[in-house]
Amino acid sequence: MRSANSALFKWIEYCKERKWLRGLLNRCLGGREVGLKSAAFRTWMHMVSAATEEEMSNELDDLRKQNEKQRAQIQEVTAKYNVMIGSMSDLQKKQQEQAMRSATKMIQMMKGKALTSTFMSWKQYAKDELADKVKMVRFLAKWKNQGVSKCFMGWVTMIAEDKQYKAIVKKFVMRMNNGCVVR
């Protein structure tokens, strides 16, 4: 009963959020006034940036917790290593030191791979973000220039009609001058 109740509340929350998003999109894309569109777009941008910041802060908190756990594990292993070294003979100590150097090299290689992977992921993310920014700038430029574009197209149509009318008049005058038109 409890799970059904919580599922119902989650569904209600989901529906409210979807309804709010639909309203936001309607205000953003369906409004008649530019002020309403720009306000809706700004609201959408703030919502996205807030969600991104919250997501990043949650990831940062998770990474901090993981880092603290790993530090505790390192301290525990170091303490065990020191106890073990105290009870070994010289030959065993040399073998253990060699094994530790090998392990250290392996760890350094793993860190290098992790850093490379992180950098490559960041590079791809930055590339995608730049592409998204270019798309958004183009979209905004088209959006802002819709009125100018409509005026320009009207002007081009008017010029084309004027040319056509002038050609008809010129043709008529030529025929009249050549005596083709009967009075």
Side-chain angles (χ1 to χ4, degrees):
M1 185 66 172
R2 224 182 205 181
S3 61
N5 215 3
S6 68
L8 179 64
F9 283 119
K10 285 181 184 178
W11 175 252
I12 290 170
E13 268 187 47
Y14 176 76
C15 289
K16 284 181 182 178
E17 182 179 337
R18 296 293 296 175
K19 184 178 179 182
W20 181 82
L21 285 173
R22 277 195 303 274
L24 177 66
L25 285 173
N26 284 337
R27 287 191 305 275
C28 183
L29 299 175
R32 291 190 177 139
E33 296 181 30
V34 174
L36 291 175
K37 289 179 183 177
S38 64
F41 186 69
R42 280 193 304 270
T43 303
W44 177 75
M45 282 179 31
H46 290 301
M47 182 192 71
V48 168
S49 66
T52 303
E53 287 177 15
E54 181 180 338
E55 186 177 295
M56 290 173 72
S57 68
N58 289 342
E59 287 179 11
L60 187 61
D61 290 341
D62 291 342
L63 288 174
R64 284 183 182 150
K65 288 176 185 176
Q66 187 179 9
N67 192 9
E68 289 174 10
K69 286 180 184 177
Q70 288 176 348
R71 284 185 187 193
Q73 288 174 348
I74 288 171
Q75 289 175 349
E76 182 180 331
V77 168
T78 304
K80 287 180 181 178
Y81 176 75
N82 290 336
V83 167
M84 185 177 68
I85 292 294
S87 64
M88 286 187 185
S89 67
D90 287 340
L91 180 61
Q92 288 176 331
K93 284 182 184 180
K94 286 181 183 177
Q95 289 175 347
Q96 186 63 28
E97 287 173 1
Q98 179 61 33
M100 284 301 288
R101 281 194 295 271
S102 296
T104 304
K105 285 182 184 178
M106 181 72 86
I107 289 170
Q108 291 299 325
M109 286 176 39
M110 289 172 60
K111 282 183 182 179
K113 287 180 182 178
L115 289 174
T116 301
S117 173
T118 302
F119 176 73
M120 295 306 283
S121 297
W122 174 81
K123 181 180 171 186
Q124 184 63 37
Y125 174 77
K127 182 180 177 183
D128 293 344
E129 286 298 311
L130 183 63
D132 289 346
K133 182 179 179 183
V134 168
K135 288 177 187 174
M136 187 56 71
V137 166
R138 287 180 184 162
F139 169 75
L140 288 175
K142 286 180 184 177
W143 195 24
K144 287 180 181 178
N145 292 328
Q146 282 179 349
V148 174
S149 176
K150 287 178 183 176
C151 291
F152 177 74
M153 294 307 290
W155 177 78
V156 167
T157 304
M158 183 189 76
I159 295 297
E161 288 175 356
D162 283 351
K163 280 186 178 181
Q164 185 181 14
Y165 294 147
K166 284 180 184 179
I168 292 171
V169 169
K170 186 176 180 181
K171 193 175 183 182
F172 177 75
V173 169
M174 296 267 302
R175 284 187 181 170
M176 204 166 104
N177 285 342
N178 291 333
C180 292
V181 178
V182 178
R183 291 189 199 191

